[in-house]
Amino acid sequence: MAASPLTSVDFLLRNPTHTRPFAADACYLPTGQAKPVVIFVHGFKGFKDWGHFNALADYFARQGFVFIKLNLSHNGVVVGGSGDLEDMEAFGHNNFSLELDDLGALLDALHTPGTTPLPPAELDLTRLTLVGHSRGGGLVLLKAAEDTRVTSVVGWAAINDIDQRWSPDLMQRWQADGVQYIDNARTGQRMPLYYQLAEDYQRNKARLDIPTLVRTLRQPLLLLHGDQDETLPVQMAHDLQAWQPRAKLVVVPGANHVFGGRHPWEETGLPAHAQHVADETIAFLR
């Protein structure tokens, strides 16, 4: 017997704090019955259609969730563009406050009937989970701390702090030059980070303080981290659990930072470690 067809819808979002539109998509089985909502947030140098993320959306949808993912507005992806990172000027002007407000704009849209093409009958917004990978994992922790509409939160290889503790010499050079550059090993791009990123952090330290705010979380929290993470050490997950002892921590043996994914992802199924992470997340949400 053939599986029921999934519905996938694309829509645009706007954040009142800036003028740049950004894209989201939702995947679900149209049953006419309200389903729990999972919002997935990509990480640094990531985007909503990276690697196996579309296969992930299909898998969660078949398990009875509405799975929504978004491009954060200044991640470098252009609406109507290639779908990959191409706008380095936007990337350079990104910061954590913008990202938190982008996520808030999506939450507002979901709670405002008629703002998205999603039928309200399909959405159970009393069961709304934020799932974030890497830097997106830190973002969802911060958003959950400030927004009671979030009912549970999941970090996949999440950062445990935003403070980069850059050296005084680097900060002095960065301020003088107005920009520093990082390399994207996948694309070969030199990616700018304008000094406004540091200024935004200094202005909004209390809002961006993961170690303090994770202690205040009232929502159930799940943390998953690979013990072979080459980007963010698994100790970060242990730190987060130490600060929020009610959190459930799952260390995935052998898993790297992207849980076996790569871009592009040519297969229809999920990488084995990503499958494990998805199943652990679904079990937690049930």
Side-chain angles (χ1 to χ4, degrees):
M1 186 174 161
S4 301
L6 296 171
T7 291
S8 183
V9 295
D10 300 302
F11 54 100
L12 290 182
L13 295 163
R14 295 189 182 274
N15 176 340
T17 69
H18 62 78
T19 59
R20 188 177 174 84
F22 50 109
D25 61 62
C27 188
Y28 62 96
L29 273 171
T31 61
Q33 293 182 312
K35 290 171 276 293
V37 176
V38 171
I39 295 173
F40 176 73
V41 183
H42 64 77
F44 187 57
K45 295 189 281 190
F47 47 97
K48 71 179 180 65
D49 299 317
W50 185 92
H52 59 280
F53 292 167
N54 288 315
L56 198 64
D58 290 355
Y59 186 70
F60 271 80
R62 293 214 176 276
Q63 301 298 315
F65 296 86
V66 177
F67 192 91
I68 301 171
K69 48 192 173 68
L70 76 160
N71 280 323
L72 296 166
S73 64
H74 288 66
N75 68 347
V77 173
V78 177
V79 171
S82 69
D84 205 331
L85 306 177
E86 56 186 319
D87 188 341
M88 292 298 96
E89 193 65 12
F91 182 90
H93 283 105
N94 195 18
N95 62 53
F96 294 99
S97 297
L98 272 176
E99 292 186 335
L100 279 174
D101 292 341
D102 288 344
L103 195 45
L106 173 55
L107 292 173
D108 290 345
L110 291 174
H111 285 83
T112 308
T115 308
T116 76
L118 288 164
E122 301 287 348
L123 305 175
D124 182 356
L125 294 173
T126 68
R127 291 184 291 167
L128 191 152
T129 301
L130 298 183
V131 177
H133 174 249
S134 193
R135 173 161 146 173
L139 196 67
V140 299
L141 293 171
L142 294 173
K143 197 65 196 172
E146 71 178 21
D147 198 319
T148 57
R149 295 175 294 186
V150 179
T151 59
S152 54
V153 61
V154 181
W156 293 350
I159 60 171
N160 68 348
D161 200 355
I162 279 173
D163 188 351
Q164 305 282 326
R165 294 179 179 82
W166 282 301
S167 71
D169 285 351
L170 186 147
M171 290 296 286
Q172 197 171 3
R173 285 198 310 276
W174 192 8
Q175 185 172 17
D177 297 341
V179 63
Q180 62 167 304
Y181 289 90
I182 56 167
D183 293 325
N184 187 333
R186 179 176 66 85
T187 64
Q189 290 160 306
R190 290 196 77 216
M191 310 181 81
L193 296 175
Y194 292 110
Y195 188 66
Q196 61 83 29
L197 176 70
E199 292 174 319
D200 174 74
Y201 174 71
Q202 293 297 331
R203 275 196 311 270
N204 297 287
K205 269 187 173 180
R207 188 187 187 197
L208 302 176
D209 185 351
I210 294 174
T212 296
L213 291 172
V214 77
R215 291 174 163 92
T216 73
L217 281 183
R218 296 182 179 179
Q219 300 95 331
L221 170 61
L222 171 65
L223 302 164
L224 295 117
H225 213 110
D227 68 0
Q228 300 301 309
D229 191 322
E230 71 288 3
T231 303
L232 300 177
V234 70
Q235 182 59 43
M236 287 192 170
H238 291 291
D239 290 346
L240 288 167
Q241 190 192 37
W243 301 330
Q244 180 48 268
R246 289 186 296 106
K248 179 181 180 183
L249 170 60
V250 177
V251 175
V252 184
N256 66 4
H257 185 60
V258 290
F259 300 102
R262 62 181 177 275
H263 188 80
W265 182 252
E266 308 287 3
E267 299 169 46
T268 52
L270 289 168
H273 287 136
Q275 180 75 61
H276 180 72
V277 164
D279 288 335
E280 287 279 1
T281 301
I282 288 166
F284 175 78
L285 298 182
R286 285 184 173 149

